[in-house]
Amino acid sequence: TVSYMRQASSKFSPDNRWGNFWSIGGGWLINKESWFNVSWVDELKLKAAYGENGNDGIDSYLYLNYFNIVNSNDQVSLTPSSLGNPDITWEKNGKFNVGVDFSLLNGRITGTVEYYCNKTSDMLSWYPLPPSYGYSGYYANVGNMKNTGIEFDLHGDIIRTKDFTWNAYVNFTSNHNE
């Protein structure tokens, strides 16, 4: 599968409004190959995918400067309210995974083993400023984050009859975050 998406968000300045995001993925049903003759394996699928998406989860118009109109000794005065950042743009999330799905013994045992790597770049974050600056801070694309790990899911029917099924489920996940 392949997909492509172009999105726009009014939360960013016109110069940074558009984001391009795509994904690609595929699977191979090894058990459907003519050379694969293992009677107790119902399904054996190798799968892999990579995709990107964007995040615009901030308030609108944070790329503009805002001021308060206040009374100062019976005079109209402007005071800083919000410092805009015209350079903010989409936070980008890239996700990669590769794994194996399996089903054994007429579906009595099923499971998945999967490795993943998720990377967030250009994270949208509040960047604080010293009070003497006149503003408390502004939003900026700062920082990256990376999550990697392995997931293992196993389902098994301990007892399976016409009138009764007793199954067990085991899940193991190991995650590393930077």
Side-chain angles (χ1 to χ4, degrees):
T1 60
V2 176
S3 70
Y4 174 79
M5 180 174 27
R6 183 163 167 80
Q7 288 183 292
S9 175
S10 62
K11 294 183 178 187
F12 306 121
S13 76
D15 293 338
N16 297 323
R17 189 152 288 166
W18 290 92
N20 301 305
F21 308 105
W22 59 276
S23 68
I24 187 167
W28 176 27
L29 283 170
I30 298 170
N31 62 294
K32 297 286 186 182
E33 297 293 337
S34 60
W35 48 264
F36 191 86
N37 294 319
V38 182
S39 62
W40 51 273
V41 175
D42 309 317
E43 179 182 87
L44 183 59
K45 178 169 67 172
L46 180 63
K47 60 184 181 176
Y50 178 79
E52 294 181 345
N53 62 15
N55 176 25
D56 66 347
I58 57 173
D59 290 338
S60 297
Y61 307 110
L62 292 178
Y63 60 92
L64 299 173
N65 291 329
Y66 287 93
F67 298 89
N68 292 322
I69 300 173
V70 297
N71 181 344
S72 176
N73 293 326
D74 291 328
Q75 298 292 319
V76 174
S77 179
L78 296 177
T79 61
S81 172
S82 174
L83 179 62
N85 180 359
D87 297 327
I88 54 175
T89 187
W90 290 91
E91 179 179 289
K92 294 168 199 72
N93 302 297
K95 299 178 183 292
F96 169 75
N97 69 303
V98 62
V100 175
D101 292 340
F102 58 89
S103 176
L104 312 172
L105 305 171
N106 292 320
R108 289 185 71 102
I109 299 172
T110 61
T112 300
V113 179
E114 193 166 318
Y115 166 80
Y116 63 89
C117 179
N118 301 331
K119 183 176 180 188
T120 303
S121 57
D122 296 329
M123 292 174 65
L124 290 166
S125 183
W126 179 253
Y127 189 80
L129 293 172
S132 61
Y133 198 78
Y135 296 96
S136 59
Y138 61 96
Y139 272 89
N141 293 98
V142 294
N144 298 317
M145 182 172 58
K146 183 178 175 183
N147 288 301
T148 57
I150 296 173
E151 293 183 352
F152 176 71
D153 293 319
L154 183 64
H155 302 257
D157 290 344
I158 298 168
I159 298 172
R160 181 169 33 171
T161 67
K162 185 177 105 180
D163 299 322
F164 179 77
T165 301
W166 177 24
N167 54 24
Y169 172 74
V170 175
N171 175 275
F172 171 78
T173 302
S174 174
N175 184 58
H176 177 72
N177 181 281
E178 293 179 29

